[in-house]
Amino acid sequence: MAESAQRQADHDMAPADLRHETAASHAHDPPGDAALHRIVVVGGGAGGLELVTRLGDRLGRRSRAAVTLVECGRTHLWKPLLHGVAAGSLNPGEYEVDYLAQAHWHGFRYRFGEMIGLDRAKREVHLAATFDQEGRQITPPRSLGYDTLVIAIGSTTNDFGTPGVAEHAVPLETPGQAERFNRRLVNACLRAQTQEGPVRPGQLHIAIVGAGATGTELAAELYHTTREVVAYGLDRIDPQRDIRIVLIEAGKRILPGLPERISEATHRLLDEIGVEVRAGAMVTEVTADGVKLADGSFIPSELVVWAAGVKAPDVLRELDGLETNRINQPVVEQTLQTTRDSAVFALGDCAACPRPGQSTPVPPRAQAAHQQAGHMVRQIERRLRGKALQPYTYRDFGSLVSLGKWSTVGNLMGFLLGRSIFVEGLFARIMYQSLRMMHERALNGTVRAMLGVLARALAHRTGPPVKLH
Ligand SMILES: Cc1cc2nc3c(=O)[nH]c(=O)nc-3n(C[C@H](O)[C@H](O)[C@H](O)COP(=O)(O)OP(=O)(O)OC[C@H]3O[C@@H](n4cnc5c(N)ncnc54)[C@H](O)[C@@H]3O)c2cc1C
């Protein structure tokens, strides 16, 4: 049978057939699962956590399926908040979601561990053992059986093989990395305040490599928070003289993925506030003291952030024969099923999902992960009822870039007008925050999401606006 015909036949399979295929691998499951369709979602990020929460509410609680989340973290923090954590303007504890509690409240199981392999014939996901900080084992190596598998493990930083990045630059992929950067930043300020001599060249300089949305937002936010930290009594530091933030971009302009008008408006604003922008500058090496460029120049810098591109995690490169592209993403059909196995789906940053009529796949954005999670909920319900799956179509609602306290700029797609509309200021800021609210509502419901906003607003009135330790 041709591959596509086989896939169509798989789409149309009845739930009983789906269970029958995999009866041999039920040995690893809790006793109550034997008769249930087992849905395993690997990765509880922007897409995966929304997916298991909704599947748990709709299917898990009603014993219509056994829904399991495999996740290598203990808590979830929505990734677009990471630059705020790195800059110290956001306390991660106020936004984190505890996986165990979320699973308990929403009818799914949480299995702590990292996916390291897959056996498609047996329909099992392999998890590595986990260890605590003293080296004691927490969970053993194990395998989990599935009838439907969804891979949603996001993306990691792509250093394109640039020497020195792994040793000297900080990526912004996890809350741990963002907090580590913030600690280094506050330590750098404390060191400069108490050292014998004056601040050395490059000492309080920050180089951000990559002027996509992440790098650009971080530059603006850092400009503000470094001044806030210094204002709390670090009087030997003169921010105007000593602190320098350089945003480096290999492309001709910053925000290369966004319309030119947004890029220009953002560049102007960064110029006005004093962030130095180096566009068309290719980094060839990162050293302990700074960043070397292809034109031979050197940017001295005590702190270097690498935000210059993403790829899917290496575990996906060879995942039991699934088709992948050059950045490790499993290639999926528009139904989000992987091309070589209709029981394995992928979504979010880690998936190469086609866009009809476009040469590039769906971009790695929180709004894409959110849309795909919503689509997947409906498709899994269809799959359980033995109905054919429907294709996912990406809807680009626009892009917004937050420039800290100064402004928010971006474009919104005006579907009625059929073109994108430039927005900035308060309206843009409200729209920017609405994306996060959509994620919080998907996880917590409207009432708890609103209570969260209120609680954070109160907390901010009683503490310093930046992290000082
Ligand atoms: C600093 C920053 C700012 C951003 N700002 C924006 C923005 O303003 N707007 C926007 O649209 N997008 C933004 N993005 C991109 C957006 O965050 C991602 O597109 C989105 O998070 C992708 O969702 P996801 O579910 O695919 O993956 P993630 O949200 O990355 O979740 C992946 C999850 O998988 C887990 N995991 C990874 N590997 C394994 C494994 N082997 N086994 C088990 N679990 C695993 C991880 O711990 C994580 O919880 C930003 C990204 C960053 C880093």
Side-chain angles (χ1 to χ4, degrees):
M1 193 188 289
E3 209 173 344
S4 58
Q6 173 67 57
R7 275 198 300 272
Q8 190 53 51
D10 287 341
H11 293 177
D12 298 339
M13 238 181 221
D17 299 332
L18 293 169
R19 280 203 304 272
H20 175 74
E21 268 188 305
T22 61
S25 55
H26 279 297
H28 299 272
D29 306 324
D33 282 8
L36 294 178
H37 184 94
R38 296 161 307 166
I39 303 163
V40 173
V41 177
V42 186
L49 189 56
E50 290 189 14
L51 176 63
V52 282
T53 299
R54 291 174 65 182
L55 287 176
D57 284 339
R58 287 175 182 221
L59 305 176
R61 276 185 172 173
R62 297 172 195 170
S63 297
R64 287 174 55 204
V67 182
T68 303
L69 170 68
V70 172
E71 166 58 52
C72 57
R74 307 280 187 101
T75 56
H76 161 76
L77 184 74
W78 195 55
K79 254 186 168 181
L81 297 176
L82 288 182
H83 69 267
V85 178
S89 54
L90 189 145
N91 176 359
E94 292 173 5
Y95 293 86
E96 270 167 349
V97 176
D98 191 308
Y99 286 119
L100 260 181
Q102 186 77 0
H104 178 69
W105 290 327
H106 291 278
F108 65 90
R109 294 195 188 91
Y110 159 56
R111 296 290 178 257
F112 174 51
E114 180 186 352
M115 176 178 77
I116 51 166
L118 175 67
D119 186 330
R120 291 199 286 128
K122 287 190 186 161
R123 293 204 171 174
E124 284 181 355
V125 181
H126 302 315
L127 308 193
T130 59
F131 299 88
D132 64 17
Q133 282 177 334
E134 287 80 43
R136 277 176 307 187
Q137 193 177 77
I138 306 170
T139 56
R142 60 207 157 132
S143 300
L144 290 179
Y146 64 85
D147 298 306
T148 298
L149 173 66
V150 183
I151 302 172
I153 61 174
S155 55
T156 61
T157 304
N158 193 349
D159 66 11
F160 307 104
T162 312
V165 175
E167 296 85 352
H168 305 297
V170 183
L172 277 193
E173 289 153 14
T174 64
Q177 287 164 347
E179 286 182 88
R180 183 156 65 97
F181 174 82
N182 183 254
R183 250 192 321 277
R184 284 175 65 175
L185 178 71
V186 176
N187 287 348
C189 292
L190 293 175
R191 200 177 299 121
Q193 169 71 16
T194 49
Q195 72 193 22
E196 294 272 312
V199 174
R200 295 183 312 277
Q203 188 180 346
L204 284 177
H205 294 184
I206 304 163
I208 300 168
V209 186
T214 302
T216 305
E217 291 185 343
L218 180 66
E221 193 84 26
L222 275 177
Y223 187 86
H224 171 59
T225 55
T226 45
R227 275 149 182 78
E228 289 271 350
V229 171
V230 169
Y232 277 85
L234 305 186
D235 50 9
R236 289 191 58 208
I237 303 171
D238 174 354
Q240 217 51 33
R241 183 195 60 206
D242 299 327
I243 297 177
R244 179 185 174 210
I245 297 170
V246 188
L247 180 62
I248 306 165
E249 168 58 44
K252 282 198 202 106
R253 59 180 177 90
I254 62 166
L255 299 170
L258 300 188
E260 209 155 337
R261 188 170 173 197
I262 300 173
S263 165
E264 279 165 11
T266 308
H267 197 142
R268 252 196 321 275
L269 204 134
L270 292 177
D271 275 347
E272 275 166 30
I273 63 177
V275 170
E276 195 180 320
V277 176
R278 300 280 297 264
M282 175 74 82
V283 173
T284 52
E285 188 179 350
V286 179
T287 70
D289 311 318
V291 170
K292 284 185 191 167
L293 300 182
D295 65 4
S297 58
F298 184 74
I299 300 176
S301 185
E302 187 175 8
L303 293 164
V304 179
V305 179
W306 191 267
V310 294
K311 62 176 184 168
D314 288 341
V315 64
L316 297 178
R317 196 185 305 146
E318 283 294 326
L319 201 61
D320 200 13
L322 292 180
E323 185 190 359
T324 51
N325 65 8
R326 70 185 163 78
I327 57 163
N328 304 340
Q329 291 171 312
V331 181
V332 297
E333 306 281 354
Q334 266 191 276
T335 54
L336 303 180
Q337 285 167 303
T338 52
T339 50
R340 292 182 187 152
D341 192 330
S342 60
V344 180
F345 295 70
L347 62 76
D349 281 13
C350 75
C353 178
R355 280 192 290 174
Q358 307 255 11
S359 57
T360 52
V362 173
R365 297 223 189 118
Q367 59 170 309
H370 173 77
Q371 288 173 23
Q372 289 178 341
H375 182 81
M376 185 69 86
V377 172
R378 295 188 291 277
Q379 299 321 302
I380 286 183
E381 289 188 321
R382 291 180 75 86
R383 186 168 153 83
L384 291 183
R385 289 199 299 268
K387 290 191 169 176
L389 302 191
Q390 294 166 325
Y392 161 74
T393 308
Y394 175 60
R395 293 192 78 194
D396 186 353
F397 289 100
S399 300
L400 295 159
V401 182
S402 163
L403 301 168
K405 70 169 197 161
W406 288 281
S407 188
T408 301
V409 294
N411 68 321
L412 292 177
M413 295 308 291
F415 288 106
L416 288 178
L417 297 173
R419 62 183 168 85
S420 89
I421 309 160
F422 180 79
V423 288
E424 64 183 322
L426 183 64
F427 177 68
R429 185 177 296 257
I430 292 168
M431 296 311 290
Y432 182 88
Q433 286 175 353
S434 69
L435 183 61
R436 193 193 74 229
M437 277 305 288
M438 265 161 39
H439 181 62
E440 288 191 26
R441 276 184 58 205
L443 299 187
N444 301 326
T446 307
V447 174
R448 283 188 53 205
M450 297 305 289
L451 285 174
V453 173
L454 191 64
R456 288 192 291 266
L458 289 173
H460 281 218
R461 290 199 163 270
T462 54
V466 284
K467 197 155 183 274
L468 299 169
H469 57 273

